[in-house]
Amino acid sequence: MARLALRRARAEARAAERVMGDVETLRSARRAYLLAAVLGAASLPMVLLYLLLVLSSFADTIVTGPDILEARYSLDNWLMFFRGEVAPAAGRLYTTADILATIANTAIVALGVTAVVVFTSVLAGYAFSRMRFRWRRGLMTFIILLHAFPGVALIIAVYAMYVWSSMPLARSEGAMVAYAFAFTVLARASLELPMSIWLMKGFFDRIPWEVEWSALIDGASRLRAWWQIVLPQVKPGIAALAIFAFLAGWEDLIYVHVFLYIGTAGKVKTLATLIEELTANIETSYLPVVAAAGTLYLLPTILFFVLTQKLLLEAYSGGLKA
Amino acid sequence: MVEVSLERVTKRFGRVVALDQVSLVFEDGKFTALLGPSGSGKTTLLYIIAGIYKPTSGRIYFGGEDVTDLPPNKRNVGLVFQNYALYPHMTVYDNIAFPLRLRKLPESKIDRKVREVAKMLRIEELLDRYPSQLSGGQQQRVALARALVKEPTVLLLDEPLSNLDALLRVSIRAELKRLQKDLGITTIYVTHDQAEALSMADTVVVIDRGRVQQVDTPQNIYNRPRNLFVATFIGSPPANVLYARLTEKNPSLACVEVNKARFCFEGERAARLSRLGGEEVVLAFRPERARLGTEPRSDMLSIPAEVYVVETLGRENVVTLVVGASMVKVVTPPSQVPRLGESYYVLVDPRDVMLFDPVTELNIDYIEA
Amino acid sequence: MRPRVNPALFFLLPALTLIAVFYVVPLALSIYIGFTPLRNWNIAGGYLSQVTLENYERLFHMVMYDPDIGKVVATTVVFTVVTLAVNVLGGLALALTMYLMDLSGRELSLGFRTLWMLPRMTPIAVYSLMWYYFFLPGEEGILNSIAMRLGLIDEPVNWGNDPDLLPYGAWAILVVVNGLVGVSFGMVVFYAALRSIPREQIVAARVDGASTLHLVLYILIPQLRWHITYVTVWQLLSLLTTYAHIFLLVEWGAVDEFWGSNWALYVFNKAFALGESDQGLAAAAATILVLIGAGLGVLALRLMGFGRMMAEPRGEV
Ligand SMILES: Nc1ncnc2c1ncn2[C@@H]1O[C@H](COP(=O)(O)OP(=O)(O)OP(=O)(O)O)[C@@H](O)[C@H]1O
Ligand SMILES: [Mg+2]
C-alpha cells in the first residue's frame, strides 16, 4: 500500500516536471543545441591550443593549425625525450636517468603536497566543524583571509628563511636536497591550506551530529568516533581534497622554481623547471621534444579531470553556499 | 537495573531556558513516558541524561552514583535518536556489533549477541544490508537493537516511532512494551503522542516550557490532571474549559454558575472551593465524559448550549456547541446526531468536573489545605 | 575535575604550525625585510640588522621618475581592470549560456563547464608553453601562421615585443592568457547560483510571455547581483597578486619585460633575479600589495556572508 502510494507520488512529480519542462524551457531543444554550438565555437580555440600541443609532440615540427595534415607524425619526439636528447643542438645534455629523475621529482612534490594537505586539513577541518575552542570563529576568518594574501610577499620571506635555515646543511649535498624537497612540499602545501581546511569543514558539516553522538553513547571516545564513524563518511570529500592537492603540487611552477631550482642551483629539476629551462634556451632546444615533455606533464591533469569532473565542479563551488 | 534521578537540573542555551529546575526520579525498571509539546525540552532532558549536554546547574544520579561529569561513553546508556542515526557506512550487523567491539568482546561472543538481539527484533534477514537499504520501521528496529545489545542500564528513546505509519506504529509499540518488561531496563520514552504515552508507560511525565507539570500514572494524568495545562494538553479532543462564577462559598456547600446554569458541590469539594481567593473558578470536563440531554438534571451540571458544528467520525460524533461566549465539545454516540442550531443541555457528572484555581491554574484537588 | 588540554588543539596543531611557519612568520618577516637593505640573499651579511626607510623612498622615487616602473604600474592597472572585466563578464556569459542550454532538460553543459576549468588546472609551465607557441614571433608561431594563411599579415609579427604594437600587444597577451584562467571562477559561482533559482520563477515568466532576453535581463541577472559583487572583489584580489601565469612569458621573452610585467611579477623578479637581486626593495613593494590585499580580503569575507557559515558546534562532550 505505502509503496504503491509512493510510486504514484513519484510518477506525479515526474509528470509535473514534464509539464513544467514544456512551459519553461527554451522553446525547443533545437535552441539548446544552437547555444551548445555557439559555445562550442567559442571554446574551439582553447581546444585547438591543447590539441596542437599534443599533436606537436608527435610531429616533426610545431604544428600550427593550417599545417596539421602536412606534418609527419611519429613517436620520435617521445623517444628523444626519454633518451634525454631534448636540446640536440647543444649536444646531449641529459640522460634517460635525468629525465626519469625529473618526472620522479615532480611526483614527489605532488604526492608530498597531497599528504601534507590531506593530513592537516582533515584534522583542522574537523576541529572547525565540530569542536569548541576559543577564537574558533576568529581563527577561521583569519585562515580564510590568508588565502587572499599576496603570494609574492610570502615567498620572499619564506626563501629568506630557507636560505638561513639551510646554512648548517651546506656541506652535505644529500641533506641539502632533502631539505629543499621538504621545504618545497611544506611551503606549497601551506598555500593550499586555507581553502582545503574550509572545504573539509564543509564536508564535516554535512554529517549529522546524532551519528557522532551515537558512537559516543555506544562507548567510543571522541577520537575513536572521529576515526571510525565520522572519517569514513567523508571519504569522498577526502578524495576530492587529495585530487586537488595533487594537482596543485603537480602544476606548481613558482615554488619548485624557487626552492628546488634556484635553491639547489639547478641540480633538482621538475617537469615545470625542465620545460622552463628548455624553452628559455630556444636556440638549442628542439621544440617538438619540449611539446612531448609538456604533453607528458599535462597527462595526469587531463586524466583526473575526466575522471572527476562532477566532483571538481562541486568542490570548486562548494566554498560558498549563499 | 538502576534508578535515574535528576536534582534541580537547569539547562540554558544562551538566553533560552530549555530546562528549569527539573527534579525527577525515574524508577528502576519502569517505563516512563516523557510527554510535552514541541520545544518543551524533552530532547534536551534525554541528552542531559545521556551526557551529550552538560546541565547548566543541578546533578544527575544513576543509582547512587553522581554521573553529572561523566562523558557519554562511560554511562552505559542506550539511546535511540529521533532520526535513528545509524552508521551509514556499516552494515546492519556492524552497526549492532559496534558497541560490543568497543568493549573488546571476543568475536564469537559478539556474533552470538548480535544474532540474539536481531532475532528478538526480527531483523535477522537484514543483517547484511546497509541502512540506506532499509525502510523506516526496519531502521528503527536496527537502532533499537544497537541500543539494546550492549545491555544498557538505562534506555532512552527519542520519539522513535514518529516516522512510522500508523499501522506499524501500533505493532511496534506493543513489541517495545513487551521487550522492556522482559528485560526490565529503566526506560525513558520521549513522545508528543499522548496515546502512545498513556498506553505504554508505567509513569507519565508531562513537561512544558522546561518545567515538569505532573508526574503520575497514566490514569491520574488523564483523570486528575494537576493543572490546567495538563488537562488541556492531554486528551483528544482536549478538555473543555469554562470560566464559572462562585455564587456560594460555604465549606459545606459551594455553588458555581456558568451560562445561567447553577450547580452546587458538597463535602470535600465544597470545602476546597470555599478556600479559593476570588469569585471565579475554572471548570473543565472531558468531551467524552459529557452527554447531551434535552432536559436539565438536578444531579448533574447542566449547561444550556446551542449546536454549532457536528463532525461525524463513524464510531462517534464530536459536537461543538456554543456556551455563552465559549465553545465546548461533546462526544456523542453514533445514534445521536444533533442538528445545527438545536438547543441542548450539556450534562456532566460532578465527579467528572475538574476545578482549577484561575490564578495558579492548579487543580483544587491538589491544593494543600 | 582535573584540568585538561582542549582536544581541539591536537586536531589544529599541524595546520596551525604550518600556518605559523609559512604565513604568519613570513608575513611579518617580509614586512621587516622591506625596512632593511637586504641584497643578493646575503642573509648573514648584516643587512638584516639595519633598519631604514630607504626602500620606500626609492620606490616612491622610481614610481615617479623611472619610466620602466611607470610601465609596470600602467600595466598593472590596465591588466587588472581589463582582465577583471573579461573574467566577470565572460564568466557571466558562460554561465548564462550553459544555464539556458540546460533549461531544455538535458545536461548539455557539464562537458563545457569542465573544459573551461581546464586552464586553471593545467600545469602553469605547460599552459605558458602553449601560449608561447601561439604567440611565437616567427612563421612557426601559431597565430602568425594562421594569420598569414588567411592573408591578414604578410610578415610574421612579434606580438608581444614589436615597438609599433607596444604596449597593446603585450597587454592583449596578458589579458588573454590570464582571462582564460580566471573566467572559470565566475562561471562556476554564477552557474551554481542560477541553478538554485526556483524553477517556478522561470515558468511564471514564460507564462507571462517573457522572451529569453527578458528572462536574462529581468529575472536572472538581478538575482545574481550579490554573486557578481562577490566574484568581482575576489577576482580583483587574485588579479592584483597573480604573477605565475605571466612569469614564464616574460622570462621566455614572449612579452616585453616591463610592458608585460605587473607589480607582483616585478616584485618577484626583483627578489629572485639571477644576477643583482634586491630583496629589501622587493619586500617593500610587496608590503604595499599586502595592505591592498588585506582590505579587499576583509571586504570579500563580508560579502561571502562568512558569519552565517560558521554554525556553533552542538553538544558538550
Ligand atoms: N543547541 C541548542 N541551542 C539553542 N537552543 C536550543 C538548543 N537545543 C534546544 N534548544 C531550545 O531548547 C528548547 C527545548 O528544545 P528540545 O529540543 O529539548 O525540545 P523538544 O521537547 O525535544 O521538542 P520536539 O518535540 O520539537 O523535539 C527549545 O526552545 C529549543 O529551541
Ligand atoms: Mg525533540
Side-chain angles (χ1 to χ4, degrees):
Chain A
M1 272 302 280
R3 202 165 298 164
L4 239 162
L6 193 70
R7 202 177 308 157
R8 184 145 25 97
R10 252 191 232 136
E12 272 163 17
R14 227 176 295 137
E17 204 164 86
R18 249 199 317 274
V19 171
M20 266 168 85
D22 287 347
V23 183
E24 46 97 9
T25 53
L26 284 183
R27 301 232 159 82
S28 67
R30 228 184 314 143
R31 284 234 203 148
Y33 287 115
L34 187 73
L35 278 179
V38 171
L39 194 55
S43 317
L44 199 64
M46 197 165 70
V47 177
L48 196 72
L49 218 58
Y50 284 87
L51 196 68
L52 290 178
L53 175 81
V54 176
L55 284 180
S56 298
S57 78
F58 294 102
D60 56 346
T61 168
I62 288 296
V63 184
T64 61
D67 56 351
I68 279 185
L69 297 176
E70 292 156 27
R72 271 184 324 228
Y73 297 98
S74 69
L75 282 176
D76 288 351
N77 300 329
W78 288 82
L79 295 175
M80 284 168 75
F81 174 66
F82 277 108
R83 280 200 298 267
E85 298 167 13
V86 289
R92 198 161 164 166
L93 292 179
Y94 301 94
T95 63
T96 301
D98 291 334
I99 299 298
L100 293 180
T102 302
I103 297 172
N105 291 340
T106 315
I108 289 172
V109 172
L111 290 172
V113 169
T114 311
V116 173
V117 166
V118 169
F119 176 71
T120 50
S121 341
V122 167
L123 285 170
Y126 179 76
F128 279 112
S129 168
R130 292 295 169 116
M131 302 179 101
R132 274 167 208 280
F133 49 91
R134 237 149 42 110
W135 312 117
R136 178 172 162 276
R137 211 170 260 264
L139 203 58
M140 191 73 236
T141 315
F142 175 70
I143 287 179
I144 295 278
L145 263 180
L146 289 181
H147 182 66
F149 273 131
V152 235
L154 294 177
I155 202 165
I156 295 173
V158 173
Y159 190 69
M161 284 158 60
Y162 170 74
V163 172
W164 173 76
S165 61
S166 65
M167 276 181 208
L169 305 171
R171 257 178 282 148
S172 154
E173 189 175 318
M176 192 72 191
V177 167
Y179 190 66
F181 264 112
F183 222 87
T184 311
V185 166
L186 290 174
R188 187 61 184 82
S190 301
L191 217 56
E192 293 300 305
L193 273 191
M195 275 303 139
S196 306
I197 292 174
W198 183 245
L199 192 69
M200 261 344 276
K201 175 193 167 295
F203 282 115
F204 282 119
D205 280 348
R206 286 186 217 166
I207 298 175
W209 277 94
E210 286 81 3
V211 174
E212 198 175 343
W213 288 339
S214 250
L216 297 176
I217 286 167
D218 282 347
S221 64
R222 184 104 208 232
L223 203 62
R224 182 180 286 275
W226 175 72
W227 181 252
Q228 281 197 330
I229 301 299
V230 178
L231 264 198
Q233 293 183 59
V234 292
K235 266 189 201 155
I238 297 176
L241 182 71
I243 289 171
F244 276 125
F246 182 87
L247 287 183
W250 183 260
E251 62 107 49
D252 177 66
L253 166 71
I254 298 297
Y255 279 73
V256 294
H257 171 90
V258 168
F259 294 101
L260 281 181
Y261 193 78
I262 301 183
T264 64
K267 278 197 283 287
V268 179
K269 287 192 187 65
T270 63
L271 283 171
T273 44
L274 178 68
I275 290 172
E276 177 189 355
E277 187 181 85
L278 293 177
T279 312
N281 301 323
I282 189 147
E283 301 81 16
T284 55
S285 298
Y286 182 48
L287 284 182
V289 177
V290 182
T295 305
L296 177 76
Y297 191 17
L298 185 60
L299 220 54
T301 312
I302 304 272
L303 205 70
F304 275 134
F305 226 70
V306 176
L307 292 180
T308 62
Q309 41 180 337
K310 263 215 160 118
L311 194 74
L312 181 98
L313 290 166
E314 243 167 57
Y316 198 66
S317 62
L320 29 28
K321 290 257 148 40
Chain B
M1 299 230 160
V2 71
E3 176 188 276
V4 176
S5 55
L6 281 72
E7 212 178 87
R8 299 206 285 143
V9 168
T10 295
K11 177 65 187 172
R12 284 200 198 87
F13 295 107
R15 238 180 283 146
V16 181
V17 182
L19 292 177
D20 191 3
Q21 301 272 354
V22 171
S23 295
L24 276 173
V25 176
F26 299 95
E27 280 175 54
D28 188 357
K30 287 282 164 57
F31 192 117
T32 308
L34 201 55
L35 192 59
S38 189
S40 55
K42 306 181 296 288
T43 300
T44 306
L45 185 64
L46 227 53
Y47 285 0
I48 280 196
I49 295 172
I52 292 167
Y53 290 153
K54 299 256 177 293
T56 311
S57 66
R59 317 295 307 170
I60 300 141
Y61 300 91
F62 282 9
E65 191 196 354
D66 184 342
V67 297
T68 315
D69 296 321
L70 223 53
N73 49 351
K74 304 259 161 62
R75 294 195 186 191
N76 193 28
V77 300
L79 173 53
V80 176
F81 288 90
Q82 199 162 347
N83 59 4
Y84 312 140
L86 298 178
Y87 309 129
H89 60 295
M90 293 185 183
T91 60
V92 167
Y93 183 99
D94 291 331
N95 260 281
I96 301 174
F98 185 70
L100 302 179
R101 297 216 166 108
L102 289 175
R103 289 184 187 172
K104 307 222 160 52
L105 294 188
E107 272 306 315
S108 60
K109 194 165 178 189
I110 291 177
D111 191 66
R112 212 185 60 235
K113 286 192 166 218
V114 170
R115 292 189 189 283
E116 210 173 85
V117 72
K119 189 168 170 204
M120 186 163 70
L121 288 164
R122 282 177 267 133
I123 48 172
E124 296 145 289
E125 64 288 6
L126 306 178
L127 288 176
D128 295 330
R129 297 213 207 155
Y130 284 90
S132 58
Q133 302 165 324
L134 302 178
S135 75
Q138 291 167 334
Q139 289 187 32
Q140 194 268 329
R141 276 180 281 173
V142 174
L144 199 57
R146 187 179 65 187
L148 286 174
V149 76
K150 54 194 250 194
E151 293 163 13
T153 50
V154 182
L155 181 61
L156 307 169
L157 305 159
D158 193 358
E159 307 200 28
L161 307 186
S162 57
N163 293 341
L164 307 185
D165 66 47
L167 220 60
L168 196 58
R169 191 187 293 208
V170 171
S171 80
I172 289 191
R173 212 190 264 171
E175 229 171 274
L176 204 59
K177 170 90 184 179
R178 208 205 49 237
L179 209 65
Q180 189 270 335
K181 278 278 160 288
D182 290 351
L183 301 175
I185 305 176
T186 312
T187 301
I188 305 171
Y189 185 101
V190 164
T191 178
H192 54 221
D193 178 338
Q194 35 174 303
E196 211 160 272
L198 297 176
S199 69
M200 293 170 79
D202 302 313
T203 308
V204 175
V205 174
V206 181
I207 179 172
D208 181 42
R209 277 177 277 154
R211 292 189 191 190
V212 174
Q213 306 293 325
Q214 187 168 4
V215 184
D216 223 322
T217 60
Q219 291 75 22
N220 278 346
I221 294 276
Y222 188 80
N223 295 324
R224 301 186 63 223
R226 197 168 166 277
N227 59 27
L228 210 49
F229 171 79
V230 178
T232 50
F233 180 64
I234 303 288
S236 157
N240 295 304
V241 175
L242 291 171
Y243 278 82
R245 245 165 18 89
L246 267 173
T247 52
E248 187 84 50
K249 266 172 78 172
N250 284 326
S252 53
L253 187 78
C255 299
V256 299
E257 190 184 298
V258 54
N259 202 26
K260 295 183 218 85
R262 208 176 122 94
F263 188 82
C264 295
F265 293 92
E266 295 168 353
E268 172 75 19
R269 278 271 174 103
R272 286 176 178 275
L273 273 176
S274 69
R275 284 199 294 270
L276 279 183
E279 296 303 306
E280 271 202 321
V281 66
V282 179
L283 183 154
F285 58 90
R286 301 211 169 271
E288 59 276 22
R289 296 281 169 84
R291 286 191 290 129
L292 293 184
T294 47
E295 295 298 325
R297 283 178 53 166
S298 60
D299 59 337
M300 283 190 172
L301 177 65
S302 310
I303 310 164
E306 194 173 298
V307 177
Y308 183 69
V309 177
V310 179
E311 299 161 66
T312 44
L313 302 178
R315 194 172 56 174
E316 62 197 23
N317 303 315
V318 176
V319 184
T320 309
L321 304 104
V322 182
V323 175
S326 340
M327 301 271 185
V328 300
K329 284 180 191 289
V330 174
V331 174
T332 64
S335 55
Q336 187 184 24
V337 187
R339 279 207 299 270
L340 299 193
E342 277 182 333
S343 289
Y344 280 98
Y345 286 94
V346 177
L347 307 175
V348 192
D349 188 300
R351 277 166 304 183
D352 291 330
V353 175
M354 305 177 270
L355 297 164
F356 300 89
D357 180 337
V359 180
T360 60
E361 301 198 343
L362 272 180
N363 191 331
I364 61 164
D365 293 348
Y366 286 87
I367 297 175
E368 313 279 316
Chain C
M1 266 206 326
R2 71 203 150 94
R4 60 190 189 121
V5 186
N6 190 335
L9 192 65
F10 161 81
F11 283 87
L12 287 171
L13 202 60
L16 290 187
T17 310
L18 281 187
I19 283 168
V21 174
F22 290 103
Y23 280 100
V24 182
V25 173
L27 213 59
L29 187 59
S30 174
I31 293 170
Y32 177 73
I33 292 177
F35 290 101
T36 70
L38 181 66
R39 264 158 223 281
N40 300 326
W41 297 114
N42 197 345
I43 304 280
Y47 289 123
L48 276 180
S49 50
Q50 309 169 24
V51 174
T52 163
L53 274 177
E54 187 197 350
N55 293 319
Y56 287 94
E57 285 160 15
R58 274 170 65 209
L59 212 52
F60 179 73
H61 193 265
M62 283 160 78
V63 170
M64 298 307 284
Y65 305 111
D66 184 338
D68 288 343
I69 299 300
K71 289 177 190 172
V72 171
V73 171
T75 303
T76 307
V77 173
V78 172
F79 162 77
T80 307
V81 170
V82 178
T83 316
L84 183 65
V86 168
N87 282 173
V88 176
L89 298 179
L92 191 61
L94 281 174
L96 280 169
T97 313
M98 290 168 181
Y99 176 72
L100 290 174
M101 254 160 70
D102 288 352
L103 270 189
S104 71
R106 297 162 194 76
E107 273 270 319
L108 291 175
S109 74
L110 181 62
F112 284 117
R113 275 181 292 147
T114 319
L115 181 68
W116 283 85
M117 284 290 289
L118 199 52
R120 182 178 292 274
M121 304 319 249
T122 304
I124 293 173
V126 178
Y127 187 72
S128 305
L129 184 67
M130 292 188 315
W131 286 111
Y132 177 73
Y133 289 159
F134 190 82
F135 291 114
L136 212 58
E139 277 174 46
E140 67 276 25
I142 294 172
L143 186 57
N144 277 327
S145 163
I146 293 177
M148 281 165 73
R149 191 69 66 107
L150 292 177
L152 298 177
I153 49 174
D154 303 325
E155 305 218 314
V157 176
N158 189 343
W159 301 98
N161 292 295
D162 189 331
D164 291 342
L165 291 179
L166 281 178
Y168 305 106
W171 286 352
I173 293 178
L174 297 191
V175 169
V176 168
V177 171
N178 276 273
L180 222 49
V181 175
V183 84
S184 53
F185 179 63
M187 175 191 79
V188 171
V189 172
F190 296 144
Y191 182 82
L194 285 170
R195 286 303 290 249
S196 69
I197 293 176
R199 296 204 125 195
E200 288 78 4
Q201 285 186 20
I202 290 138
V203 180
R206 282 299 194 201
V207 171
D208 291 347
S211 69
T212 304
L213 187 66
H214 286 141
L215 195 67
V216 169
L217 288 182
Y218 301 125
I219 309 285
L220 300 180
I221 290 189
Q223 303 200 46
L224 291 183
R225 225 177 288 150
W226 179 89
H227 297 88
I228 292 172
T229 320
Y230 168 68
V231 168
T232 306
V233 173
W234 198 250
Q235 202 62 27
L236 175 59
L237 194 59
S238 308
L239 285 171
L240 265 181
T241 58
T242 188
Y243 61 100
H245 287 90
I246 314 176
F247 169 63
L248 285 181
L249 293 179
V250 172
E251 185 186 319
W252 291 340
V255 289
D256 180 78
E257 185 185 350
F258 296 106
W259 287 120
S261 287
N262 66 354
W263 190 261
L265 181 60
Y266 177 78
V267 170
F268 181 83
N269 280 335
K270 202 80 205 153
F272 292 98
L274 286 183
E276 267 307 287
S277 63
D278 188 340
Q279 288 78 42
L281 186 72
T287 303
I288 293 170
L289 270 188
V290 170
L291 293 179
I292 300 173
L296 284 175
V298 171
L299 185 60
L301 280 192
R302 279 273 160 80
L303 288 170
M304 233 163 104
F306 181 77
R308 277 179 288 134
M309 294 197 266
M310 283 294 283
E312 281 302 313
R314 295 169 58 202
E316 287 138 9
V317 285

